[in-house]
Amino acid sequence: MFNLIIFGPPGAGKGTQSAMLLEKYELVHLSTGDVFRANIKGETELGVLAKSYIDKGELVPDEVTIAMVEDFLKNQEDANGFIFDGFPRTLSQGEALDNIIRSIDSQIDVVLALEVEEDELVKRLLERGKASGRADDQDEATIRNRFAEYNNKTEPLLGYYDQQGKLKRVAGMGQIEEIFDRLCKAVDAVR
Ligand code: AMP
């Protein structure tokens, strides 16, 4: 199994690059944001709960998010490996993921951290908000809150993975294809 985490602030290009990576390396995609949005659309209990946080630009509580990831991974015995996109977002989630992945006799192989300047992130999010209708991408106050959550709770994970020797920082500015090439080089170096 080969498991990678695509990491970065909101708007860094995690979703776009995941779609290309999963095709090339034949991995299963787990985007916790996508799973929450599917639940919101389906008006499930989880969706109603998640929406109350997502609309404010806050992280959904760890217990809820971790339980959802465990549930997803239970039904994936045939997978070659996973791309974790938007998960983990806190140190507790990172530790939980290590335990979950160890329980299936596997490991996180590489963490690809996309680096993008903040002005560019805001521009991308507002553009995506217009195109997709995602409410949390349309409101500047919500976007600012998502950055604050990222800086306070998610960024510490960079140190966590750096200490484990798994962190690869990749420039996330420029054309989609050139960013993809940089990510593939980082993957191929450890695969
Ligand atoms: P994303 O699609 O990854 O940008 O996520 C959209 C929103 O879903 C985030 O702003 C959070 O409110 C919530 N979310 C997604 N993934 C997580 C996670 N791993 N932990 C907590 N909240 C999350």
Side-chain angles (χ1 to χ4, degrees), residues 76-142:
Q76 300 287 341
E77 284 92 3
D78 298 334
N80 279 331
F82 297 94
I83 298 187
F84 295 97
D85 164 4
F87 182 88
R89 262 179 156 100
T90 64
L91 278 174
S92 302
Q93 291 181 15
E95 286 161 5
L97 179 59
D98 279 345
N99 289 331
I100 299 169
I101 212 101
R102 205 174 299 129
S103 75
I104 54 169
D105 288 329
S106 195
Q107 69 293 310
I108 298 298
D109 292 287
V110 66
V111 178
L112 304 169
L114 286 167
E115 298 188 314
V116 179
E117 288 158 17
E118 188 157 322
D119 287 354
E120 171 71 14
L121 294 173
V122 176
K123 197 177 112 207
R124 287 185 190 176
L125 289 171
L126 290 171
E127 270 167 18
R128 186 171 71 183
K130 274 190 226 141
S132 72
R134 257 181 76 168
D136 61 341
D137 285 342
Q138 292 182 31
D139 178 56
E140 283 214 39
T142 309

Side-chain angles (χ1 to χ4, degrees), residues 10 14 31-34 36-37 50 53-54 57-62 65 85-90 93 128 134 136 146:
K14 300 187 294 294
S31 157
T32 41
D34 284 353
F36 286 135
R37 281 185 289 278
Y53 293 93
I54 293 174
E58 290 173 13
L59 293 185
V60 178
D62 283 341
T65 306
D85 164 4
F87 182 88
R89 262 179 156 100
T90 64
Q93 291 181 15
R128 186 171 71 183
R134 257 181 76 168
D136 61 341
R146 286 159 71 198

